[in-house]
Amino acid sequence: MPLSVAMVGTRGVPARYGGFETAVEEIGTRLAARGHAVRVYCRTGNSETTEVYRGMELVTLPALRQRSLETLSHTGLSALHLLTHRTDVAMVFNAANAPWLPVLRAARVPVATHVDGLEWKRAKWGPTGRRYYRAAETASVRMSDALIADAQGISDYYSAEYGVPTTLISYGAPVLTDPVSDRLPELGLERHGFHLVVARFEPENHVDRIVEGFVASDAALPLVVVGSAPYSDAYTARIRALAAGDPRVRLVGGVWDQDLLDQLYGNALTYLHGHSVGGTNPSLLRAIGAGAATIAYDVDFNREVLRADGEYFRTPADVAASVVRAERDTDGELARGKRLQGRAGEYDWDEVADGYERLAYALHSRSTPGPRRTARRGTRPSGAAR
């Protein structure tokens, strides 16, 4: 039986920002192809597409262009829209949107919340922001019919902190078995002749630490840094200052051309991944799917994906040592990338869509765990109340 499924809380599709948007596009497209009516709530300015994209209905609504209010304001309008345009189930991305869950519950729409990573650990938030995210995390547990975790570490966190189950559904990793390189000359690059970073410029992604370590190294190949971020002017300025005067560091800004981005992933000697708080990251999966030898920030989420074939860093000195070592043993790095590409097969978008489809049916039949209305950090609630 086909269902109507609303996907709420992201910038929308086409995916032009981060992991949530990538997930919505990949999952929503597959659910639509299976006959489900998929509605994606998009922010004004995300795309010129206004009605339908890859089989998904798009509802475009405005948002307040202020970091602390952009997501929340847009999700609020989306929730109000759902009051008069009902759907069978809703998938809410980001626990920060928890204040709007009562609206969905008032409309009797079963809802699963994708809780993402540990948002309150992000350095961009001050004390007030961190308190808010901790409170929103608890509210998500109390008001969601189900919780979605994209990494075992996140699932373990909710089990340990709240005593609640989560539905573990990771992201997919597109596999590029024979990447072409004809677009590389556009950036003055050669196959296996550069190191790569792809990340939003936010402190917990450690782009500054990577650039600092690279600049201090004796690496001969260039470092290509793909990324930018709204509301991060000071951090962006720090990265630019660290790179200033070093012609090896190429800050190319955001790259939304997926063909060019795939060629960068597929032809880099190494991919440096500094993400530290967001669970399983689609950029990391895209890199290993392209066979990139990955050097990742040393946290559980990254080790869960890379395991023994990953190389890890914490300090700028670690970065410097890793890139020099890679250049001294390019054959070894290429072989390591191939081994990582083998792991990418464990992250399949079709299987991810299967998981979301099963969850949608469970939500619709009211067979999910249900809200834990009395949950609080450090407790082990034993029952679920609807």
Side-chain angles (χ1 to χ4, degrees), residues 110-131:
V111 57
T113 299
H114 188 311
V115 292
D116 195 21
L118 307 180
E119 186 72 21
W120 48 268
K121 284 189 173 184
R122 293 187 185 273
K124 66 181 179 180
W125 303 120
T128 300
R130 289 171 189 161
R131 284 193 298 270

Side-chain angles (χ1 to χ4, degrees), residues 9 11 17 20 43 66-73 75 93-99 113-141 157-158 162 200 202 204 231 277 377:
R11 283 172 170 76
Y17 187 71
F20 276 157
R43 295 183 201 173
Q66 182 178 341
R67 182 173 68 181
S68 59
L69 295 175
E70 183 171 347
T71 294
L72 199 59
S73 62
T75 302
F93 292 80
N94 195 340
N97 290 310
T113 299
H114 188 311
V115 292
D116 195 21
L118 307 180
E119 186 72 21
W120 48 268
K121 284 189 173 184
R122 293 187 185 273
K124 66 181 179 180
W125 303 120
T128 300
R130 289 171 189 161
R131 284 193 298 270
Y132 171 80
Y133 276 104
R134 278 186 171 271
E137 179 183 280
T138 301
S140 294
V141 174
Y157 170 81
Y158 277 84
Y162 295 99
R200 290 204 303 270
E202 296 180 348
E204 62 277 357
Y231 314 125
V277 303
R377 196 180 305 276

Side-chain angles (χ1 to χ4, degrees), residues 96-300:
N97 290 310
W100 299 111
L101 292 177
V103 176
L104 300 181
R105 301 207 63 80
R108 300 188 62 78
V109 175
V111 57
T113 299
H114 188 311
V115 292
D116 195 21
L118 307 180
E119 186 72 21
W120 48 268
K121 284 189 173 184
R122 293 187 185 273
K124 66 181 179 180
W125 303 120
T128 300
R130 289 171 189 161
R131 284 193 298 270
Y132 171 80
Y133 276 104
R134 278 186 171 271
E137 179 183 280
T138 301
S140 294
V141 174
R142 291 176 175 175
M143 291 185 285
S144 301
D145 293 286
L147 301 173
I148 304 168
D150 62 32
Q152 187 63 52
I154 298 297
S155 182
D156 292 344
Y157 170 81
Y158 277 84
S159 177
E161 290 295 318
Y162 295 99
V164 298
T166 57
T167 300
L168 180 60
I169 313 176
S170 192
Y171 293 131
V175 176
L176 303 175
T177 55
D178 189 21
V180 296
S181 57
D182 61 293
R183 302 281 304 278
L184 296 183
E186 294 176 20
L187 297 176
L189 301 172
E190 297 179 358
R191 184 173 173 82
H192 304 144
F194 59 97
H195 306 276
L196 178 67
V197 179
V198 180
R200 290 204 303 270
F201 284 4
E202 296 180 348
E204 62 277 357
N205 292 344
H206 297 106
V207 179
D208 59 340
R209 199 168 297 189
I210 293 170
V211 172
E212 181 180 354
F214 183 86
V215 168
S217 79
D218 294 326
L221 301 178
L223 175 69
V224 178
V225 182
V226 176
S228 60
Y231 314 125
S232 297
D233 291 347
Y235 188 70
T236 298
R238 170 170 167 74
I239 293 169
R240 292 189 181 282
L242 288 167
D246 192 326
R248 298 173 302 167
V249 180
R250 304 183 187 179
L251 305 177
V252 300
V255 174
W256 309 116
D257 183 328
Q258 288 302 311
D259 177 62
L260 178 57
L261 197 55
D262 284 343
Q263 291 199 23
L264 290 172
Y265 280 118
N267 292 287
L269 177 62
T270 70
Y271 167 71
L272 293 111
H273 183 78
H275 299 64
S276 62
V277 303
T280 302
N281 184 271
S283 182
L284 177 60
L285 296 180
R286 185 177 288 272
I288 67 170
T294 300
I295 304 165
Y297 193 75
D298 193 0
V299 291
D300 289 345

